[in-house]
Amino acid sequence: YVILGAGQSFGEMALLDAGPRSAAIRCVSAEAQILALGRDALLTFWQRHCEVAYMMLFNIARDLAFKLRIRNLTQEMGA
C-alpha cells in the first residue's frame, strides 16, 4: 500500500482511461479534506481551461510515477 500526503491524488487511472477503479482507499486522518471530481465535469473544465488542465495532468503524471516507484521498491524489498 501507499500512504498519500497533502495534495496527492487517487483515482487518476479511471479518470484517464475510463476503466474501473483499481485500488481501495482508506483515510487515516480525521483532518483530511477530500475533493471529488466527476470525470465528465473535469474533462469539460479542462477543455475550457487548458493551462490548468496541463498543470493538473502534469501533477497526475508525477503522482503516478511516485506510486509506481514506491510499488517497485516494495516489491524489490520483498514486501
Side-chain angles (χ1 to χ4, degrees):
Y1 65 91
V2 175
I3 297 176
L4 303 177
Q8 287 188 280
S9 61
F10 57 90
E12 62 279 336
M13 286 175 43
L15 170 69
L16 297 173
D17 69 5
R21 289 180 291 213
S22 64
I25 301 297
R26 184 180 326 155
C27 184
V28 296
S29 171
E31 293 86 33
Q33 294 182 3
I34 307 298
L35 172 63
L37 301 170
R39 184 176 193 275
D40 292 339
L42 185 58
L43 292 176
T44 299
F45 177 82
W46 281 351
Q47 288 175 346
R48 294 180 185 154
H49 305 279
C50 294
E51 287 184 27
V52 175
Y54 170 80
M55 292 186 323
M56 289 179 75
L57 286 167
F58 181 78
N59 284 326
I60 287 170
R62 285 179 38 190
D63 265 357
L64 281 170
F66 167 79
K67 291 169 190 171
L68 284 171
R69 286 185 192 279
I70 294 295
R71 183 173 176 93
N72 289 341
L73 287 173
T74 56
Q75 285 180 345
E76 287 174 9
M77 294 171 34

